[in-house]
């Protein structure tokens, strides 16, 4: 029952429907708590129907004094065996308890409830609260009041959470009708009352209605009523009747869940989600995906901005070439600024959108205005985010710009990380730079002098080295060395740009990479329709649970 109750609460939360009455905090239905050592039988009826007199007649002893005329029964009175008093006090709290010593009623507690047709609201509230403890209601109506509608309405509420087989239906003061109009008239009234009860409880057949008279306890059906209630039920029977009450309560809740028509609500939610996704994609996301991002990808300034950090890191990892790169960095920056006049790539993206005549905020506003006009109830799911209004649409468009800017930053960082200089190539870089300079500027000229000589000494070698390593010689080779280092610088940067372009293409085509701007647009679109997507998923799950009940 707990899982079914939780399902009903979740359905009510998602659909906005009112929970069934049986799940309300003051529902007059059994709570199905463990009965312990006692169980409760309650006499329920209107004013002056003879409930107290009937209790005395059932027990065969004077348990209480009839209230007679006036306000009628105003409080709950429990007629309990003296040994059961602590349990009754624990479960019912501060109620009037009349102890007795009747062994045949050791486990059964007979409750006399306030009048259900009382004009006092606190009497009705007390009765409803006490009904939550009753497993066996004895519904008492006098032959004069048997057609009253108010008691039948309460009866229908009680029966939503209790098995009709646990009820006993009694028409009291039947002796008055018998004396006045005869037994057949009394039986006819009993049959009519049984029909009314069957209609109220939607029973397939009329229940048994007992005609009783507290003043003539041995006549009519009071002996049979005493037989039903005048002796304790076995614990096994009580547990079985409690299980039936639980099944009735579950059936009531399950019927309510089915009445919510979850499959139809799920289909409607799916249509709303599909329409919202289509509108947002067509009017807000597609221009970004099909116009702005391709233009940005082809933008030389963007390509340079993405590749430049990697190219700079790779170039400056080369000895001597790094100095040339630092010297030329102002020129490179000036070229980049001329290629990409916008201050950031996100601003460049906005420029491409503007050139294409598209306003993202306007697209969002238009999409959700159309969705709202088609499905007005969509507004309930966007209560805190009115995307059909300018302010919220501008906020959503700014969120897209933020996401794209962050993706482009991640893209640049990812390319720089993937193209970082390899440490194991450091000796080769030294050889191709410092080694080449030393060779052409010093080693080669020196060897050209030393090698032709048949004999030489270290002194002669040192003298020749001093003669060769002078300003004139170094200046003569400086032009070649500089040209060579510039060539290396250009080669390293060109290769870095090509590798960066290859990596950028991979990231642009990735469907689930955070560094992919296209992926961020898809995620952004999903966030805009998230309330409808979550509602559809929830209804789909609830519909599945309901179908498996």
């Amino acid at each position: 029952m707990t899982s079914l109750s939780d399902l009903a609460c979740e359905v009510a939360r998602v659909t906005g429907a009112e929970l069934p009455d049986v799940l309300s905090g003051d529902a007059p239905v059994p709570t199905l708590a463990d009965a312990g050592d006692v169980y409760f039988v309650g006499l329920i009826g209107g004013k002056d129907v003879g409930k107290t007199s009937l209790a005395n007649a059932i027990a065969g002893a004077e348990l209480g004094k009839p209230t007679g005329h006036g306000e009628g029964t105003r409080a709950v009175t429990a007629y309990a065996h003296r040994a059961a008093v602590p349990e009754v006090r624990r479960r019912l709290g501060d109620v009037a308890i009349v102890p007795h010593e009747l062994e045949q009623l050791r486990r059964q507690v007979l409750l006399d409830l306030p009048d259900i047709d009382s004009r006092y609201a606190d009497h009705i509230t007390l009765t409803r609260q006490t009904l939550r403890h009753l497993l066996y209601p004895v519904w008492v109506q006098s032959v004069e009041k048997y057609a009253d509608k108010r008691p039948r309405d309460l009866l229908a509420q009680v029966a939503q959470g209790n098995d009709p087989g646990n009820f006993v239906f009694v028409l009291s003061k039947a002796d008055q009708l018998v004396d006045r109009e005869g037994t057949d008239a009394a039986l006819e009234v009993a049959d009519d009352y049984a029909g009314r009860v069957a209609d109220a409880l939607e029973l397939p057949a009329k229940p048994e209605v007992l005609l009783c008279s507290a003043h003539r306890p041995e006549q009519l059906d009071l002996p049979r009523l005493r037989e039903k209630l005048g002796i304790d039920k076995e614990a096994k029977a009580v547990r079985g009747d409690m299980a039936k009450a639980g099944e009735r309560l579950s059936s009531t809740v399950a019927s309510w869940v089915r009445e919510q028509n979850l499959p139809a609500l799920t289909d409607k939610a799916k249509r709303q989600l599909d329409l919202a996704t289509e509108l947002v994609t067509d009017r807000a996301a597609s221009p970004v995906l099909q116009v702005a991002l391709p233009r940005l990808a082809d933008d030389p300034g963007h390509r340079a901005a993405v590749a430049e950090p990697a190219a700079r890191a790779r170039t400056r990892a080369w000895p001597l070439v790094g100095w040339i790169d630092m010297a030329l960095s102002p020129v490179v920056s000036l070229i980049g600024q001329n290629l990409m006049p916008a201050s950031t790539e996100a601003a460049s993206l906005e420029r491409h959108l503007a050139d294409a005549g598209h306003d993202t905020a306007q697209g969002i506003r238009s999409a959700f205005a159309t969705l709202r006009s088609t499905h007005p109830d969509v507004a309930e799911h966007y209560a805190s985010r009115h995307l059909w209004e300018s302010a919220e649409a501008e906020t959503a468009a700014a969120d897209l710009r933020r996401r794209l800017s962050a993706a482009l930053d991640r893209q640049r960082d990812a390319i720089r990380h993937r193209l970082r200089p390899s440490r194991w190539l450091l000796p080769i870089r030294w050889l191709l730079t410092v080694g080449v300079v030393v060779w052409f500027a010093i080693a080669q000229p020196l060897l050209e002098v030393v090698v032709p000589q048949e004999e030489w000494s270290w002194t002669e070698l040192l003298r020749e080295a001093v003669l060769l390593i002078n300003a004139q010689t170094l200046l003569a080779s400086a032009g070649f060395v500089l040209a060579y280092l510039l060539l290396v610088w250009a080669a390293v940067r060109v290769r870095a740009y090509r590798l960066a372009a290859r990596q950028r293409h991979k990231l642009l085509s990735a469907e689930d990479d955070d560094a992919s701007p296209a992926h961020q647009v898809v995620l952004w679109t999903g966030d805009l329709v998230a309330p409808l997507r979550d509602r559809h998923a929830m209804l789909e799950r609830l519909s599945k649970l309901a179908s498996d009940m």
Side-chain angles (χ1 to χ4, degrees):
M1 180 58 217
T2 301
S3 60
L4 186 57
S5 174
D6 291 343
L7 174 61
C9 292
E10 200 166 359
V11 169
R13 179 178 62 81
V14 173
T15 63
E18 292 289 336
L19 277 170
D21 292 338
V22 291
L23 295 182
S24 63
D26 64 342
V29 298
T31 57
L32 304 182
D34 183 9
D37 295 330
V38 302
Y39 64 91
F40 294 98
V41 176
L43 295 171
I44 306 165
K47 185 175 181 297
D48 295 333
V49 298
K51 298 190 298 297
T52 305
S53 298
L54 193 59
N56 294 335
I58 291 171
E62 187 175 4
L63 299 178
K65 296 288 186 181
T67 57
H69 299 286
E71 292 185 8
T73 305
R74 294 175 292 175
V76 176
T77 302
Y79 304 106
H81 191 276
R82 193 172 299 278
V85 169
E87 175 70 10
V88 174
R89 183 69 66 195
R90 181 184 69 82
R91 295 186 60 187
L92 296 184
D94 187 19
V95 300
I97 300 178
V98 178
H100 62 73
E101 301 288 347
L102 301 175
E103 285 299 316
Q104 74 272 20
L105 295 178
R106 190 179 185 88
R107 293 178 57 247
Q108 180 186 135
V109 178
L110 195 61
L111 300 180
D112 188 3
L113 274 65
D115 303 327
I116 59 177
D117 57 357
S118 173
R119 67 178 185 273
Y120 300 101
D122 57 331
H123 294 182
I124 305 299
T125 300
L126 182 58
T127 297
R128 291 177 64 90
Q129 292 174 349
T130 308
L131 282 168
R132 298 177 65 81
H133 299 279
L134 290 183
L135 182 59
Y136 300 104
V138 180
W139 218 263
V140 183
Q141 286 289 90
S142 66
V143 291
E144 299 114 332
K145 296 183 176 183
Y146 82 93
D148 287 356
K149 186 175 182 299
R150 186 173 179 180
R152 282 203 311 278
D153 291 341
L154 180 60
L155 171 62
Q157 294 181 44
V158 175
Q160 287 182 336
N162 200 346
D163 185 69
N166 292 337
F167 287 72
V168 176
F169 300 101
V170 176
L171 279 178
S172 64
K173 300 184 179 181
D175 58 308
Q176 299 177 13
L177 181 60
V178 171
D179 291 344
R180 189 170 60 251
E181 301 184 26
T183 303
D184 290 342
L187 293 174
E188 183 177 345
V189 168
D191 183 71
D192 183 55
Y193 180 57
R196 294 172 186 267
V197 170
D199 291 340
L201 303 187
E202 299 180 356
L203 300 177
K206 295 179 180 180
E208 181 182 27
V209 174
L210 302 178
L211 290 166
C212 297
S213 170
H215 297 295
R216 301 177 188 177
E218 301 306 322
Q219 296 181 8
L220 301 173
D221 295 325
L222 187 54
R224 292 173 56 199
L225 178 62
R226 186 181 296 155
E227 183 180 348
K228 283 178 175 287
L229 305 179
I231 190 170
D232 287 342
K233 289 179 176 286
E234 295 182 1
K236 182 178 179 181
V238 173
R239 288 194 297 270
D241 292 337
M242 185 175 291
K244 292 178 182 178
E247 292 173 1
R248 176 74 173 189
L249 181 59
S250 297
S251 175
T252 298
V253 176
S255 296
W256 178 86
V257 171
R258 285 191 292 271
E259 289 171 1
Q260 306 315 304
N261 202 0
L262 292 175
L265 291 178
T266 302
D267 291 342
K268 180 181 178 181
K270 182 65 167 59
R271 291 194 301 272
Q272 291 178 344
L273 174 61
D274 290 344
L275 179 59
T277 303
E278 178 184 349
L279 289 171
V280 172
T281 300
D282 181 58
R283 302 185 184 183
S286 287
V288 178
L289 290 170
Q290 298 175 7
V291 177
L293 290 181
R295 289 188 178 187
L296 183 65
D298 294 334
D299 191 324
H302 169 64
R303 292 201 299 268
V306 171
E308 181 58 28
R312 185 183 306 116
R314 290 173 71 91
T315 304
R316 294 184 181 180
W318 287 72
L320 303 179
V321 176
W323 294 350
I324 294 177
D325 188 74
M326 284 188 287
L328 295 178
S329 60
V331 178
V332 175
S333 298
L334 183 61
I335 295 173
Q337 291 175 4
N338 290 331
L339 289 174
M340 194 173 189
S343 58
T344 64
E345 287 137 311
S348 181
L349 186 69
E350 283 290 312
R351 177 170 56 81
H352 289 307
L353 281 172
D355 292 344
H358 177 72
D359 184 341
T360 304
Q362 175 59 33
I364 297 169
R365 191 164 60 249
S366 171
F368 279 91
T370 301
L371 178 65
R372 186 186 177 200
S373 64
T374 307
H375 297 281
D377 57 318
V378 163
E380 300 175 7
H381 314 308
Y382 287 87
S384 60
R385 196 181 186 191
H386 298 170
L387 290 169
W388 50 88
E389 296 179 357
S390 298
E392 290 292 343
E394 289 289 351
T395 301
D399 179 51
L400 176 61
R401 292 192 294 271
R402 180 189 59 78
R403 289 170 181 254
L404 292 175
S405 180
L408 293 170
D409 289 340
R410 285 192 292 269
Q411 184 183 97
R412 186 186 303 106
D413 292 340
I415 291 175
R416 181 173 56 191
H417 177 74
R418 295 178 187 183
L419 300 184
R420 66 188 182 277
S422 301
R423 291 184 178 181
W424 65 273
L425 290 177
L426 182 60
I428 298 177
R429 291 196 289 269
W430 274 86
L431 179 62
L432 294 177
T433 54
V434 177
V436 168
V437 170
V438 172
W439 173 261
F440 285 105
I442 300 174
Q444 184 183 13
L446 184 60
L447 289 176
E448 286 178 352
V449 173
V450 172
V451 170
Q453 296 181 9
E454 293 181 359
E455 295 182 2
W456 55 272
S457 63
W458 285 106
T459 304
E460 183 68 22
L461 180 63
L462 182 60
R463 185 180 67 81
E464 293 295 337
V466 171
L467 293 174
L468 288 172
I469 303 175
N470 53 59
Q472 184 178 357
T473 305
L474 293 177
L475 287 175
S477 60
F480 169 78
V481 171
L482 181 59
Y484 172 76
L485 293 178
L486 284 173
L487 180 62
V488 173
W489 174 79
V492 172
R493 292 188 68 87
V494 168
R495 177 165 174 74
Y497 268 69
R498 287 181 176 177
L499 292 175
R502 195 175 304 164
Q503 292 295 330
R504 188 169 63 91
H505 177 73
K506 290 181 180 179
L507 291 173
L508 287 175
S509 59
E511 295 182 356
D512 57 352
D513 196 308
D514 285 343
S516 169
H519 179 58
Q520 292 300 320
V521 175
V522 173
L523 292 178
W524 173 76
T525 302
D527 286 348
L528 290 183
V529 301
L532 299 179
R533 183 183 63 243
D534 294 345
R535 175 176 169 78
H536 171 257
M538 183 69 71
L539 286 171
E540 191 173 42
R541 183 179 67 84
L542 294 177
S543 182
K544 176 73 167 55
L545 291 175
S547 66
D548 294 340
M549 288 192 309

